[in-house]
Each structure stands twice: as C-alpha cells, then as structure tokens.
C-alpha cells in the first residue's frame, strides 16, 4: 500500500509538472499535425491519410516519450531533487516504473491525436483496434526505455537532448514511418531491422492498413525482446551511475 | 544504547580517498556532531549512511539493519536534510511537503495535516502557495528541513543545516534540533560552525582529510584541549614596573601582559585569587575585574589540526 501511494504520487507529480505543461502538449500535437499537412501539401491527391497514419502515430509516440523522459530525469538529477526519490523507502524498480509509466501514458495519448484527426477524413472501420493499442503500448514502452537509457547515461540536460535527437531523427527515416523499408538501400535496411520502432510501425501498418512485412506475433515477440534488453541495460547502468 | 555503528568505512572516488577508514558509533537519543573543514569527507560519509552512495569498504549498521545491504529498510526510519535545498522548484511549499510525505507512504489526510503543521511551525504558512523557486534562501532551507522530518523519522541526518541563513533562522533551527532530541530522536549533524556544534551536540567527531582525529563529549574535548586554567585580570595602575617582581613571586603561574593594565594568568592548578590581589594591593594596584577564560571547541580544533600538521611534516 505504501509503495502504491509513493508510485501514484511520483506518476501524478510527473504528469502535473512535466507532461501537462503547455509546451509539451503543443509539441505532442503540433508536430504530428504539421508533419501531416506537409505530406498532404507536397503531394495532394496522391496520398491517402490512412497510409500516413501508422507512421504519424509511431512518430508522435517516439517524440512524446523518449526525450521527455530523458530530459526530465536529467533535469531532476541536476537539481538534485532526484535524490529525494532515491532516498524514499521504495525499490529502484518501483521508482523506475513510476517514471516510465508517465512517459508511456503521455506517448499513448499522443498516439491518438493523429487518429482523432484522421477519423474526420478517412474510413478507419477496417482497423483492428486491440492490436493498435498493443502496438502503441509496445512502441511507447520501447521508446520510454530508450529515453531512460539516455537519462542514465547522460549527465547534463543538453546531453540528454542531443542523445535523444541522435536516436530519434534517424529512426524517423529508418523505421518505415514514411519511407517503406523495402525502398531503403541494403545497409540502411539492415540497420532498420535492428530498431524496435520498425516492428512497432509494421504492427500498426498491419492493424490499420492490413499490410505488414512480418506477422504480428513475430513483431510483438521482437518488441518484447527489445524491451527486455533495454530494461536490462537500464538496470545495469542505474546500479552503476545512480548510486555512486 | 547505540543506534548507529560505522566500522572502518572507506570511500574512494577515482584517485581521491574521501573517507579513509573511519569508525564511530552514535547512541540512541543523542545529537552527534560531525565537525570538519571543507572537503573533509562529511557529506561523503552521510551519503554512504543514507544509501545515496556505495562504500568502497567497511560496515554501517543502523538500528540493527545492515545499511549497505538493506538500505531501503533503513530509509524507512531516517530523515535526511541534504546540504543543498533540493525541493521541486515548480511546486509550492505545501505541494512539496505533501509529495515528500507521499514518498513515505503517508495517506492524503495525514500528509496534508502534517504539511500544514510544519508550514506553521517554520513561519512559512504565508508562503505555502508560492513556488519553491521563488523562496528566499532561508525559506528554502527551512522547507527542506521540514521535508526531512515530515514522516517523523527516528533518526535525522542534517548536512550543514544552518549554512547560508541568517542568525534568527539559525537559532530557530538549533531550537528545533534540541526539541527533536527531547522527543527522543537521534540526530546526526555535520557542520563547520564550531560554536553551533558546541551548542547542540552531545558528542562530536572531528574529521580532517577523511579521518576522525578526535571524538568525545563536548566537555571531554574541552578539558582535553586546554589543560589548566586561565584567568584574565584588569588592574588600575601600570604593571610595567613590577613585572619582574610579579614573575618571581608567582613562579608556578605563566604570566602574559598584553598591555600595562592587563594580566593573563595560566596555571595547572586552579588559581587562588586572593594572594594575587593582596600582593598587588600592597604595591598600590587594585584589581577591578577578574574573569575566567573558558576554552572553546575552536581551541580544540586548532590544537588538533596543529598536531596533525606536525605529524605529517
Ligand atoms: N562525486 C564525487 N566525485 C569525486 N570526488 C568527490 C565526489 N564527492 C566528493 N568528492 C571529494 O571527496 C572529498 C570529500 O568531499 P565531501 O563532500 O565529503 O566533503 P565535506 O566534508 O562534505 O565538505 P564541505 O564542508 O565542503 O561540504 C573532496 O575532496 C571532494 O572533492
Ligand atoms: Mg558537505
């Protein structure tokens, strides 16, 4: 019970202090929206919104979670308020799950902004929603873990910022968000298969447009593997870098 | 009964040996002071005890719990006031306190009640709705201290609680410490204000360059530092003419003349004042002030560091 109170209050504080701040809300909404408009304006008539939707959702999650988590944790580490969390009589895993949950929830909410937008223009009746939710969750989970990994490796806020851009911008182009993976040259294709987002976007493609490269169970399995690996790396670095 | 036992504790940061094999114990219900200059290793020691840093060697047992292995159990019964005021800048005083209480699993009604009480107690009630970042330094310090005791811990760690705040606030904080002691709490406090340590601590450890150079009750340390008695006299006439005579007459005293009207007597035995006054009177000089000079912890500290410097040379 005591752990639950601590968990819930850490989550609530993060949502209140960081995720609900106007700049972050607008970042989560405006960026995907303007990207969509850009795509539509560039090739009017040729692009179906439904074709863009999986990529947009993946992008919204990636941008909402990774850098948010990385930056807020580094910020709290810098101002030493993070010590309060480390001093609380809750396990480090509880603390980490509370921090991850905030980012995951924020990412998942962000993912449905483009959906709400697209629902006005496209027919989404063929979408298999349970799978969409699973895919959105797994993308949010892997992105949040990536953010956490950045947070435990970076010392300064600007480092965290730079690291997250270093990962997420290439991922925009390598993970099949807007360029089909089949069209990537050999080496880049190989890289894209090493990134969890590729499998998340593929799952979304399957659930929304009914066409995917891999089958769903394989995609989910790979994303769970990535989550386990990232979690292991985070755990190792936390033990090494948080308790000096 | 002892509540904290630290044995041969070490902390190495790369090349720097910040804490060099220290051992001490703290008894239940006492105020234990850790006194030392900047960089002596005070914060490093506290951080290992509270679980913010991992010892490079040695043991820490707090209330019967191995604090190195089972730090989360220890954290339930301790409160910490760090050297920096690390509350959340964007949250107000009340929210900050409630959040800290929630970290210890306190229920909503209980934590709001405690937070209100503490804001009142520290004269911060009016600032309760202002964000922490807009607080003055003294207000920040007080809120950080309030956060450290909100869950009513059995043992409180205070890292330089009064650094950088005004005299009145510092006095309030010292009163709070003594009040907590009266409630039976154990308090571990670091400071480099010798006077403060002398006022609030039962026992003190002097730490210099990662080693404890002296440990004991305040009165033991004082007796140790200045063996003997010091008496300062102010007299009416000039002592210049009778200096030699005075020295021959009172050979078992060491006499110092800072000016022609003052005399400082140092003696191994308590000084019998009457013969001195009588003798001076017979020379036509009357004593109009006699004052015992008490040693301070500062003398102890100066002596210890001087001894240590000698050993090192
Ligand atoms: N994280 C760290 N990395 C490297 N060296 C450190 C670290 N923390 C402390 N030190 C070094 O350890 C030594 C002891 O530092 P510590 O902060 O414990 O001293 P202190 O007694 O608390 O000093 P002050 O009175 O200034 O607070 C110093 O030489 C310091 O530079
Ligand atoms: Mg210090």
């Amino acid at each position: 019970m005591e752990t639950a109170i601590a968990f819930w209050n850490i989550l609530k504080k993060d949502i209140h202090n960081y995720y609900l701040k106007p700049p972050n809300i607008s970042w989560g909404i405006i960026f995907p929206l303007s990207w969509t408009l850009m795509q539509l304006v560039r090739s009017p008539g040729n692009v179906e919104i439904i074709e863009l939707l999986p990529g947009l959702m993946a992008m919204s999650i990636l941008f909402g979670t990774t850098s948010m988590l990385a930056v807020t944790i580094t910020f709290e580490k810098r101002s030493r308020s993070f010590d309060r969390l480390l001093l609380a009589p809750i396990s480090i895993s509880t603390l980490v799950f509370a921090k991850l949950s905030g980012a995951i929830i924020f990412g998942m909410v962000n993912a449905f902004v483009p959906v709400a937008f697209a629902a006005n223009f496209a027919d989404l009746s063929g979408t298999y929603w349970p799978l969409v939710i699973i895919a959105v969750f797994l993308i949010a989970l892997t992105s949040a873990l990536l953010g956490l990994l950045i947070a435990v490796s970076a010392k300064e806020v600007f480092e965290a910022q730079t690291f997250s851009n270093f990962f997420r911008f290439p991922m925009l182009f390598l993970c099949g968000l807007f360029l089909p993976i089949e069209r990537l040259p050999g080496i880049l294709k190989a890289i894209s298969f090493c990134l969890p987002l590729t499998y998340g976007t593929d799952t979304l493609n399957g659930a929304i447009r009914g066409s995917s490269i891999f089958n769903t169970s394989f995609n989910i399995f790979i994303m769970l593997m990535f989550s386990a690996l990232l979690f292991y790396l985070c755990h190792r670095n936390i033990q090494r870098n948080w308790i000096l | 009964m002892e509540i904290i036992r630290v044995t041969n504790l070490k902390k190495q940061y790369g090349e720097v040996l910040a804490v060099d094999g220290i051992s001490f114990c703290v008894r239940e219900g006492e105020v234990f002071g850790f006194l030392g200059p900047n960089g002596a290793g005070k914060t490093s020691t506290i951080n290992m005890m509270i679980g913010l840093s991992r010892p490079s060697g040695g043991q820490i047992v707090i209330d019967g719990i191995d604090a190195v292995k089972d730090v989360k159990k220890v954290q339930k019964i301790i409160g910490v006031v760090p050297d920096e005021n690390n509350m959340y800048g964007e949250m107000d005083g009340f929210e900050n306190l409630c959040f800290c209480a929630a970290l210890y699993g306190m229920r909503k009604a209980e934590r709001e009640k405690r937070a209100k009480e503490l804001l009142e107690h520290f004269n911060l009630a009016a600032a309760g709705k202002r964000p922490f970042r807009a607080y003055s330094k003294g207000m920040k310090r007080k809120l950080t201290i309030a956060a450290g005791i909100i869950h009513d811990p059995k043992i409180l760690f205070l890292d330089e609680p009064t650094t950088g705040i005004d005299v009145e606030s510092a006095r309030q904080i010292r009163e709070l410490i003594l009040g907590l002691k009266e409630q039976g709490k154990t308090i571990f406090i670091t400071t480099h204000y010798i006077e403060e340590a002398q006022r609030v601590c039962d026992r003190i450890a002097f730490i210099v360059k990662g080693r404890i150079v002296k440990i004991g009750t305040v009165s033991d340390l004082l007796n140790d530092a200045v063996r003997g008695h010091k008496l300062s006299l102010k007299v009416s006439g000039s002592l210049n003419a009778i200096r030699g005579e005075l020295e021959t007459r009172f050979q078992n005293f060491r006499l110092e003349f800072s000016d022609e009207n003052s005399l400082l007597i140092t003696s191994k035995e308590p000084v019998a004042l009457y013969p001195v006054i009588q003798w001076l009177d017979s020379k036509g000089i009357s004593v109009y002030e006699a004052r015992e000079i008490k040693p301070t912890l500062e003398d102890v500290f100066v002596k210890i560091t001087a001894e240590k410097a000698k050993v090192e040379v």
Side-chain angles (χ1 to χ4, degrees):
Chain A
M1 187 61 207
E2 282 166 12
T3 308
I5 293 177
F7 179 94
W8 169 239
N9 279 277
I10 295 173
L11 176 58
K12 208 169 66 174
K13 173 190 73 67
D14 279 359
I15 291 177
H16 188 259
N17 280 6
Y18 306 122
Y19 298 113
L20 286 185
K21 286 281 146 80
N24 298 317
I25 298 180
S26 58
W27 176 246
I29 295 172
I30 290 173
F31 193 69
L33 227 54
S34 40
W35 187 279
T36 318
L37 287 176
M38 195 174 87
Q39 297 280 333
L40 290 175
V41 168
R42 208 186 49 179
S43 41
N46 298 340
V47 194
E48 283 285 339
I49 283 196
I50 201 162
E51 280 174 30
L52 291 176
L53 190 58
L56 273 172
M57 290 173 73
M59 185 179 79
S60 302
I61 304 170
L62 181 66
F63 275 71
T65 47
T66 309
S67 69
M68 272 303 277
L69 192 63
V71 169
T72 54
I73 290 182
T74 341
F75 175 73
E76 289 189 359
K77 291 279 298 166
R78 273 304 313 145
S79 72
R80 302 258 319 260
S81 50
F82 201 75
D83 285 355
R84 298 216 159 261
L85 307 179
L86 293 174
L87 279 175
I90 50 168
S91 67
I92 296 214
S93 315
T94 308
L95 161 59
V96 164
F97 279 123
K99 287 272 168 199
L100 283 173
S101 306
I104 290 173
I105 293 170
F106 186 65
M108 290 181 74
V109 170
N110 270 354
F112 288 95
V113 173
V115 176
F117 179 72
N120 295 312
F121 303 97
D123 174 19
L124 298 178
S125 60
T127 304
Y128 184 48
W129 292 108
L131 187 57
V132 170
I133 290 172
I134 292 174
V136 164
F137 172 74
L138 287 172
I139 298 174
L141 176 65
T142 48
S143 307
L145 282 167
L146 184 63
L148 181 62
L149 189 60
I150 292 168
V152 293
S153 317
K155 285 210 170 57
E156 306 283 343
V157 175
F158 79 88
E159 268 176 21
Q161 196 72 263
T162 315
F163 275 142
S164 28
N165 284 336
F166 177 78
F167 282 107
R168 62 187 182 173
F169 279 105
M171 276 161 89
L172 276 185
F173 299 100
L174 292 177
C175 297
L177 270 61
F178 304 103
L179 293 173
I181 291 176
E182 302 92 87
R183 277 204 252 137
L184 292 174
I187 175 84
L188 292 183
K189 207 179 206 167
I191 295 176
S192 85
F193 289 134
C194 300
L195 297 169
L197 193 60
T198 303
Y199 304 92
T201 315
D202 197 47
T203 314
L204 282 179
N205 269 323
I208 296 173
R209 296 163 54 205
S211 76
S212 60
I213 307 173
F214 305 108
N215 80 40
T216 306
S217 336
F218 176 77
N219 278 336
I220 291 177
F221 173 76
I222 294 283
M223 277 192 285
L224 288 174
M225 287 294 108
F226 268 114
S227 305
L229 175 70
L230 284 167
F231 191 80
Y232 165 76
L233 289 177
C234 289
H235 190 77
R236 206 193 52 175
N237 281 12
I238 285 170
Q239 291 299 328
R240 200 183 289 165
N241 296 348
W242 281 0
I243 311 291
L244 287 175
Chain B
M1 208 193 73
E2 71 181 45
I3 194 162
I4 300 177
R5 171 163 287 280
V6 168
T7 319
N8 202 17
L9 189 65
K10 288 199 178 88
K11 183 69 195 181
Q12 181 112 32
Y13 295 107
E15 296 279 281
V16 183
L17 189 57
V19 177
D20 186 6
I22 61 174
S23 303
F24 60 89
C25 72
V26 178
R27 298 179 194 135
E28 188 158 10
E30 77 176 345
V31 180
F32 186 89
F34 227 48
L35 194 58
N38 289 131
K42 303 183 292 293
T43 302
S44 304
T45 305
I46 283 207
N47 283 350
M48 287 189 277
M49 292 200 274
I50 62 180
L52 277 188
S53 128
R54 217 176 267 121
S56 313
Q59 287 98 45
I60 306 167
V61 178
I62 297 181
D63 204 24
I65 308 163
D66 182 336
V68 182
K69 282 205 202 93
D70 256 339
V71 70
K72 290 292 159 192
K73 271 194 203 145
V74 170
Q75 285 175 343
K76 273 203 177 108
I77 56 159
I78 63 171
V80 178
V81 178
D83 51 351
E84 268 175 61
N85 300 318
N86 63 347
M87 310 297 289
Y88 294 89
E90 57 280 4
M91 281 153 60
D92 67 35
F94 183 71
E95 287 169 341
N96 262 304
L97 290 183
C98 287
F99 177 69
C100 291
L103 290 178
Y104 291 86
M106 283 166 70
R107 314 240 163 185
K108 193 171 160 93
E110 194 190 349
R111 52 180 194 252
E112 291 187 346
K113 181 169 159 270
R114 261 305 263 174
K116 276 204 194 95
E117 276 171 18
L118 287 170
L119 287 174
E120 290 283 339
H121 186 273
F122 284 93
N123 299 329
L124 289 171
K129 290 281 156 226
R130 254 188 275 161
F132 179 71
R133 97 165 83 66
Y135 278 24
S136 78
K137 213 169 179 183
M139 290 158 77
K140 282 186 177 156
R141 198 68 191 135
K142 287 197 241 175
L143 194 76
T144 309
I145 293 175
I149 58 175
I150 194 154
H151 55 293
D152 198 23
K154 190 168 172 185
I155 308 170
L156 181 63
F157 291 87
L158 294 154
D159 198 351
E160 297 188 14
T162 58
T163 299
I165 62 175
D166 67 25
V167 183
E168 175 53 21
S169 303
R171 196 185 57 78
Q172 281 177 9
I173 289 167
R174 281 195 294 271
E175 261 167 27
L176 175 88
I177 293 171
L178 293 173
L180 289 169
K181 177 187 139 105
E182 236 153 63
Q183 291 172 30
K185 311 287 183 199
T186 306
I187 294 155
F188 185 99
I189 175 175
T190 80
T191 177
H192 41 234
Y193 296 133
I194 292 175
E195 229 188 87
E196 175 169 285
Q198 195 165 358
R199 276 192 213 167
V200 300
C201 297
D202 299 305
R203 288 193 310 132
I204 289 172
F206 282 107
I207 176 167
V208 180
K209 291 191 187 144
R211 294 180 145 271
I212 290 182
V213 291
K214 201 114 207 171
I215 191 163
T217 65
V218 173
S219 54
D220 283 351
L221 289 173
L222 293 178
N223 290 339
D224 224 45
V226 189
R227 288 223 166 83
H229 305 261
K230 266 191 185 176
L231 206 63
S232 147
L233 301 187
K234 292 256 185 267
V235 297
S236 58
S238 168
L239 292 168
N240 285 352
I242 54 166
R243 264 193 198 195
E245 238 181 300
L246 197 57
E247 272 160 351
T248 349
R249 172 69 182 76
F250 297 100
Q251 274 177 359
N252 42 356
F253 294 163
R254 201 161 65 83
L255 304 176
E256 288 163 71
F257 303 86
S258 53
D259 62 60
E260 58 172 8
N261 302 117
S262 340
L263 174 62
L264 184 67
I265 305 174
T266 313
S267 153
K268 283 209 177 67
E269 305 299 321
V271 178
L273 202 48
Y274 187 64
V276 182
I277 296 176
Q278 205 180 30
W279 189 85
L280 285 172
D281 200 46
S282 71
K283 302 286 167 194
I285 290 171
S286 46
V287 176
Y288 61 86
E289 188 189 305
R291 201 157 44 88
E292 191 193 357
I293 309 265
K294 288 219 169 98
T296 63
L297 273 181
E298 191 158 348
D299 299 326
V300 183
F301 194 63
V302 169
K303 194 172 163 223
I304 289 168
T305 34
E307 274 168 12
K308 192 160 157 60
K310 252 186 255 158
V311 172
E312 271 167 14
V313 165

